[in-house]
């Protein structure tokens, strides 16, 4: 179950020491190979010799997505292109894609950390595992693919699309595990149901779900419809791709592969470090990357860290579920609203499908929020009275969770567009006015 006990269960003191050693090496490396970092450090009057232990990390400059864009495409690459063997790009959920490059050693570390994740979920060499993240520039497909192979399980590179064929493969090839976005898992469940196949006919037992935020309610929904156990996997292309952190059997936070990715939490406004347990912006330093190492990369993901020992035996710091990205957060009439809050309310009610859309607008100088949600077939009716009552219940619950009122629009089952990759749950029309 524990792929690399040596690293995953390393005593804290020893881990800090290892991280310190790797950080010193990294700073020397980027100082000499990336002009961007050399200049930043010179501006701050820093030399590599000022970094002696892991605690010194707070002296170093941050890196932002904007820095990556300004240095597009290869400006932050530390290794010469002759050493780079693969390039990926982030999916560009929030703007232009950013380019990342990997050396052969980077790829082998990526497979290693992915294997740690899969082992924690209970995947073994006897499993047949379908990778249904998109293959291509997106890191999800290939990242998970090589992790499965490295572990020794059988990989089925299904990718996304052609879901009916995929369902038949799951049944016929006795596929036991699947890696995909939570949105795709739901879509898959719908297709299975539509094809009249019972979940028991499929032998799925493990799901590795990530690449987008998802709630505990969403987990329950997917688990009961597909008959598997769903585990969180987190990652981002700038740092590596999937495999930066993973849930263990305890499912209380995700263990960070800390010997490779050093985590910090900062206040997104003051950039000051925050203590364990406090929510803020997650920041990562790649301790071992050769291709495109990053110092203190600001992920914009909001979460908190816990350092308590985990009953599973792993000693690594855990990150709590991402509550959203700082740029996902909607400010509606001055109130902060996260799509995940709406999701929790909707999935907490049996009358609704886990399919919703937030439409934000500005009318007469006032922000408006409309929440569209699909009513389940068994609850959908022509009786206006009962539909109005359902609408009222939902808007009351949303109001108490969000502290602002939202216009609820009930829609028929299957009317909101499904996603096979990362889902788009918000339409903000205000940016156009
Ligand atoms: P993009 O930023 O273009 O979406 P990536 O494909 O690299 O590029 O996506 C990384 C981002 O996806 C993370 O920063 C995070 O916001 C989100 N993400 C990935 N895994 C998870 C997860 N398990 N839970 C929540 N969010 C996740
Ligand atoms: K090359
Ligand atoms: Zn654990």
């Amino acid at each position: 179950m524990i792929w690399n006990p040596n690293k995953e269960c390393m005593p804290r003191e020893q881990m800090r020491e290892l991280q310190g050693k790797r950080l010193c090496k990294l700073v020397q490396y980027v100082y000499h190979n990336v002009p961007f970092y050399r200049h930043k450090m010179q501006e701050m009057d820093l030399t590599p010799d000022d970094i002696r232990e892991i605690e010194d990390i707070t002296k170093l400059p941050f890196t932002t997505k904007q820095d990556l864009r300004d240095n597009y495409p290869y400006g932050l690459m530390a290794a010469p292109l002759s050493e780079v063997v693969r390039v990926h790009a982030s999916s560009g959920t929030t703007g232009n894609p950013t380019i990342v490059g990997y050396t052969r050693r980077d790829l082998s570390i990526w497979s290693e950390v992915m294997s740690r994740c899969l082992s924690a979920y209970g995947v073994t060499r006897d499993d047949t595992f379908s990778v249904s993240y998109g293959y291509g520039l997106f890191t999800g497909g290939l990242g998970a693919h090589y992790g499965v192979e490295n572990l020794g399980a059988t990989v089925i590179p299904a990718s996304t699309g052609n879901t009916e064929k995929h369902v038949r493969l799951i049944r016929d090839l006795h596929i036991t595990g699947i890696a995909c976005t939570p949105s795709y898992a739901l879509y898959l469940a719908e297709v299975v149901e539509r094809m009249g196949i019972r979940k028991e006919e499929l032998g799925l037992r493990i799901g590795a779900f990530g690449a987008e935020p998802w709630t505990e309610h969403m987990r329950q929904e997917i688990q009961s419809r597909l008959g598997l156990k769903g585990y969180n996997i987190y990652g981002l292309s700038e740092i590596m791709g999937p495999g930066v952190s993973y849930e263990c059997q305890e499912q209380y936070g995700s263990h960070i592969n800390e010997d490779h990715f050093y985590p910090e939490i900062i206040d997104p406004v003051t950039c000051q470090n925050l203590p364990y347990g406090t929510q803020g912006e997650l920041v990562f330093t790649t301790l071992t990357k050769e291709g495109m190492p990053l110092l203190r990369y600001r992920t914009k993901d909001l979460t908190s860290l816990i350092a308590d020992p985990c009953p599973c035996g792993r000693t690594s710091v855990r990150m709590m579920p991402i509550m959203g990205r700082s740029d996902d957060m909607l400010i509606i009439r001055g109130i902060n609203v996260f799509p995940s809050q709406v999701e929790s309310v909707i999935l907490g009610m049996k009358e609704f499908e886990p399919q919703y859309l937030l439409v934000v607008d500005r009318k007469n100088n006032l922000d408006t929020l409309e929440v569209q949600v699909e009513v389940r077939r068994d609850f959908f009716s022509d009786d206006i009275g009962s539909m109005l009552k359902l609408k009222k219940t939902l808007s009351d619950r949303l109001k108490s969770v969000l502290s602002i009122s939202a216009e609820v629009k009930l829609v028929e089952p299957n009317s909101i567009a499904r996603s096979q990759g990362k889902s788009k749950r918000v339409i903000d029309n205000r940016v156009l006015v």
Side-chain angles (χ1 to χ4, degrees):
M1 287 284 224
I2 299 185
W3 179 256
N4 187 341
N6 219 336
K7 293 287 166 18
E8 291 173 88
C9 309
M10 189 179 263
R12 293 299 312 159
E13 263 317 293
Q14 220 175 307
M15 177 60 78
R16 305 283 297 174
E17 231 169 81
L18 177 69
Q19 290 169 328
K21 259 199 219 132
R22 289 182 168 177
L23 181 68
C24 296
K25 235 175 113 184
L26 168 75
V27 171
Q28 292 281 356
Y29 178 63
V30 298
Y31 191 86
H32 292 107
N33 294 288
V34 188
F36 168 81
Y37 282 124
R38 185 165 55 246
H39 297 150
K40 272 209 164 187
M41 285 177 64
Q42 283 166 346
E43 274 167 29
M44 296 167 85
D45 244 340
L46 269 179
T47 70
D49 292 335
D50 295 320
I51 308 301
R52 295 168 181 279
E53 51 187 18
I54 192 66
E55 282 71 21
D56 293 328
I57 197 164
T58 56
K59 298 178 184 165
L60 292 166
F62 290 103
T63 311
T64 63
K65 192 149 191 134
Q66 192 56 44
D67 293 328
L68 268 76
R69 293 201 174 119
D70 293 346
N71 291 279
Y72 175 90
Y74 291 139
L76 293 187
M77 214 73 93
L81 271 184
S82 55
E83 295 301 315
V84 170
V85 296
R86 196 192 302 164
V87 164
H88 278 289
S90 89
S91 51
T93 314
T94 55
N96 294 328
T98 42
I99 303 294
V100 293
Y102 305 78
T103 65
R104 209 173 285 286
R105 181 160 168 268
D106 293 338
L107 292 182
S108 112
I109 289 174
W110 192 4
S111 299
E112 151 76 18
V113 294
M114 267 307 306
S115 300
R116 292 183 194 173
C117 307
L118 295 162
S119 294
Y121 310 152
V123 179
T124 72
R125 300 171 67 97
D126 297 325
D127 281 294
T128 300
F129 207 90
S130 158
V131 174
S132 301
Y133 284 118
Y135 278 66
L137 281 173
F138 175 52
T139 49
L142 288 171
H145 180 103
Y146 286 105
V148 176
E149 272 191 13
N150 186 52
L151 182 134
T154 309
V155 67
I156 308 292
S159 196
T160 55
N162 210 339
T163 304
E164 294 199 0
K165 178 173 163 201
H166 188 200
V167 171
R168 283 190 290 274
L169 281 179
I170 293 175
R171 186 188 56 197
D172 302 344
L173 304 184
H174 304 290
I175 290 175
T176 48
I178 180 169
C180 60
T181 61
S183 313
Y184 184 71
L186 267 184
Y187 176 67
L188 184 72
E190 285 184 339
V191 173
V192 169
E193 289 154 19
R194 210 182 308 143
M195 288 170 77
I197 294 178
R198 285 174 304 111
K199 63 182 176 196
E200 292 76 17
E201 292 172 60
L202 306 177
L204 284 174
R205 52 181 206 97
I206 294 170
F209 303 134
E212 62 181 0
W214 56 311
T215 56
E216 202 51 46
H217 276 111
M218 186 68 93
R219 187 196 322 253
Q220 301 306 331
E221 176 81 23
I222 298 169
Q223 291 188 157
S224 75
R225 287 170 79 166
L226 283 177
L228 48 65
K229 193 162 171 192
Y231 296 86
N232 188 47
I233 181 155
Y234 167 91
L236 63 166
S237 20
E238 291 83 351
I239 297 307
M240 186 63 100
V244 171
S245 74
Y246 55 99
E247 272 180 341
C248 63
Q249 295 297 319
E250 302 296 320
Q251 301 199 310
Y252 188 79
S254 299
H255 287 281
I256 296 171
N257 281 303
E258 262 192 285
D259 49 331
H260 299 293
F261 318 114
Y262 185 79
E264 296 172 84
I265 295 283
I266 61 164
D267 179 320
V269 179
T270 65
C271 292
Q272 291 301 306
N273 280 73
L274 295 173
Y276 290 130
T278 309
Q279 185 168 297
E281 180 178 346
L282 183 59
V283 169
F284 279 112
T285 298
T286 61
L287 293 176
T288 51
K289 224 168 163 210
E290 294 177 337
M292 202 188 79
L294 294 180
L295 299 183
R296 307 189 83 196
Y297 181 68
R298 294 185 58 175
T299 64
K300 296 192 173 173
D301 291 329
L302 302 173
T303 183
S304 58
L305 298 177
I306 23 175
D308 306 343
C310 182
C312 76
R314 292 177 183 80
T315 50
S316 45
V317 165
R318 281 169 285 167
M319 53 186 263
M320 295 310 282
I322 304 286
M323 92 160 283
R325 296 193 194 200
S326 55
D327 48 11
D328 251 13
M329 189 183 76
L330 294 161
I331 303 181
I332 301 174
R333 282 172 250 148
I335 306 280
N336 300 349
V337 172
F338 284 96
S340 59
Q341 294 174 298
V342 176
E343 177 172 309
S344 285
V345 173
I346 289 173
L347 270 73
M349 292 177 66
K350 61 179 186 318
E351 291 89 347
F352 301 117
E353 290 287 346
Q355 301 291 350
Y356 62 92
L357 190 64
L358 275 60
V359 184
V360 188
D361 221 322
R362 181 166 289 146
K363 289 172 189 148
N364 305 323
N365 287 320
L366 197 67
D367 295 337
T368 59
L369 169 64
E370 179 182 85
V371 175
Q372 301 182 3
V373 58
E374 282 182 14
V375 181
R376 283 196 207 272
R377 211 162 285 286
D378 320 355
F379 292 94
F380 202 81
S381 92
D382 292 334
D383 173 27
I384 294 180
S386 71
M387 286 297 98
L388 279 177
K389 212 171 124 203
L390 183 56
K391 197 170 148 172
K392 169 107 179 43
T393 314
L394 177 57
S395 41
D396 288 349
R397 290 200 191 171
L398 285 172
K399 171 124 203 215
S400 76
V401 170
L402 305 178
S403 325
I404 57 160
S405 43
E407 180 64 30
V408 168
K409 185 171 169 197
L410 304 182
V411 300
E412 284 181 52
N414 249 312
S415 46
I416 293 174
R418 303 299 192 251
S419 161
Q420 306 211 351
K422 298 182 189 234
S423 60
K424 185 159 173 46
R425 304 248 188 233
V426 179
I427 297 176
D428 194 340
N429 292 320
R430 292 176 302 181
V431 285
L432 302 173
V433 273

